[in-house]
Amino acid sequence: MTTDATDVTDVTDKENDPAVLARQPVGSVTDAAHREVIAYIRGRLGELGLTQPQYWVIRFLHPEDLSADGSGRTPAELAELLAPYLLPQDRPAEDAEDLVGRGLLTRDAAGRLWLAEPGRQAHARVKEILPGLRAHIHDGIDDADYASAVRVLRRMMRNVGGPTALERYPL
């Protein structure tokens, strides 16, 4: 069960004051939220023996996820697909090599990477925990408040980047 964000008892009055909140720089707030959420997600994936970029590699090779047909892909193709999601420190080619070395992926004679059965199993383990991760991240936030926050952020994106900003980050 979630509660109204203003009912949260572990924040100060200042953190619930609309006037204070309205003066916060959007870049600072969104950067802090991004860092905290990504650290949380990456920590939970790490408990399963995966980095977030490794999970994305698996997703882009899985026929029931981001691969339309389960076809293999080259490391360069994967790097291009992953580029919008990566942080500066991420190394998708090294992550893919690690997955090959651990038997989660295989490589054919043409250098294309394919999802192996252990990779499918890793994908399934992550899919099992995702609802709990989302529930934890969204705890105390109802869907209407979350939708409002997304709507506001997307409007800011359009304000500063024009309509093409929303095309770069489709829903």
Side-chain angles (χ1 to χ4, degrees):
M1 175 170 191
T2 60
T3 59
D4 184 309
T6 59
D7 293 337
V8 176
T9 57
D10 61 346
V11 297
T12 66
D13 288 341
K14 188 177 182 180
E15 290 170 323
N16 278 324
D17 183 339
V20 171
L21 294 173
R23 290 192 306 268
Q24 300 309 302
V26 68
S28 294
V29 173
T30 56
D31 181 58
H34 177 261
R35 289 174 188 265
E36 293 296 324
V37 169
I38 294 301
Y40 172 73
I41 292 169
R42 287 181 175 212
R44 300 302 73 77
L45 289 173
E47 293 169 3
L48 298 177
L50 294 172
T51 67
Q52 190 176 35
Q54 286 174 330
Y55 177 57
W56 291 329
V57 167
I58 290 169
R59 289 189 71 197
F60 276 107
L61 294 173
H62 198 291
E64 295 171 13
D65 202 332
L66 297 176
S67 174
D69 59 5
S71 294
R73 298 182 189 268
T74 66
E77 290 169 337
L78 286 167
E80 184 177 333
L81 290 167
L82 294 172
Y85 309 105
L86 297 173
L87 298 177
Q89 69 269 21
D90 293 337
R91 302 289 178 260
E94 293 171 21
D95 285 320
E97 284 303 315
D98 181 66
L99 293 171
V100 170
R102 292 169 40 205
L104 281 76
L105 304 180
T106 60
R107 182 186 338 290
D108 66 18
R112 297 179 78 73
L113 300 172
W114 296 83
L115 193 60
E117 185 55 33
R120 291 178 192 280
Q121 293 168 3
H123 183 271
R125 285 192 304 275
V126 173
K127 287 290 191 181
E128 287 174 8
I129 70 162
L130 287 178
L133 297 183
R134 186 184 192 285
H136 181 74
I137 293 167
H138 287 245
D139 186 39
I141 305 165
D142 67 30
D143 286 346
D145 285 343
Y146 182 73
S148 291
V150 171
R151 197 170 19 262
V152 167
L153 291 171
R154 290 185 63 78
R155 178 57 195 222
M156 289 179 174
M157 291 165 55
R158 185 167 197 258
N159 288 349
V160 299
T164 59
L166 299 182
E167 292 168 12
R168 288 190 297 275
Y169 303 96
L171 294 175

